[in-house]
């Protein structure tokens, strides 16, 4: 099995930056793609960014393009999300997740495709 552990959440003012980490443990060679998701108060869970474990062709949802950067360190089996120019609407619980199969079109973060989830880390952005 694979276990995912997020860290790096916190509280910042608008315009600030945070970096989230997601460490994968266990049978990590089974992972094809990893993604970041978030769920704000009263909102559905949405995909934020995804990246293949080969580090190719990252995917971003439109609202974070140009502000967030996803990366994956194969040596450490750890995924990162660098978040810059944070806005109050970025406030949410952020989850990392792993997908265990190949899908053409890259690592699009559709929640139903991801079979293993971390416990989440809270990000709060104040105005």
């Amino acid at each position: 099995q694979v276990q995912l552990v997020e860290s790096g959440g916190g509280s910042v003012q608008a315009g600030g930056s945070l970096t989230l980490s997601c460490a994968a443990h266990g049978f990590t060679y089974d992972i094809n793609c990893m993604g970041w998701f978030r769920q704000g108060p009263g909102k559905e869970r949405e995909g934020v960014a995804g990246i293949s474990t080969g580090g190719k062709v990252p995917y971003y949802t439109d609202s974070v393009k140009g502000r967030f950067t996803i990366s994956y360190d194969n040596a450490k089996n750890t995924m990162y999300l660098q978040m810059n120019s944070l806005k109050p609407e970025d406030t949410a619980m952020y989850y990392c997740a792993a997908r265990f199969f190949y899908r053409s079109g890259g690592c699009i973060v559709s929640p139903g495709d991801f079979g293993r989830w971390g416990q989440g880390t809270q990000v709060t952005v104040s105005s």
Side-chain angles (χ1 to χ4, degrees):
Q1 287 190 348
V2 170
Q3 296 81 41
L4 304 175
V5 180
E6 301 106 330
S7 60
S11 298
V12 296
Q13 290 190 327
S17 299
L18 282 173
T19 299
L20 306 183
S21 300
C22 173
H25 304 278
F27 295 110
T28 57
Y29 51 82
D30 288 339
I31 300 173
N32 172 266
C33 151
M34 294 187 69
W36 287 101
F37 298 79
R38 65 186 180 187
Q39 188 165 16
K43 298 182 180 179
E44 293 186 355
R45 188 169 297 189
E46 66 167 340
V48 175
I51 191 166
S52 68
T53 50
K56 298 178 181 178
V57 193
Y59 166 87
Y60 299 95
T61 195
D62 286 346
S63 62
V64 307
K65 285 180 180 176
R67 300 190 297 123
F68 291 11
T69 302
I70 190 171
S71 61
Y72 186 78
D73 185 331
N74 269 294
K76 297 180 179 179
N77 295 319
T78 299
M79 176 177 64
Y80 303 93
L81 186 68
Q82 173 68 44
M83 305 185 294
N84 298 325
S85 302
L86 282 162
K87 304 176 180 179
E89 51 264 44
D90 294 318
T91 295
M93 184 70 78
Y94 282 71
Y95 300 90
C96 70
R99 191 182 77 189
F100 297 95
F101 60 89
Y102 169 81
R103 182 185 288 281
S104 62
C107 194
I108 295 174
V109 283
S110 177
D113 288 345
F114 288 73
R116 184 68 65 182
W117 294 78
Q119 80 286 356
T121 186
Q122 178 67 37
V123 172
T124 302
V125 184
S126 58
S127 58

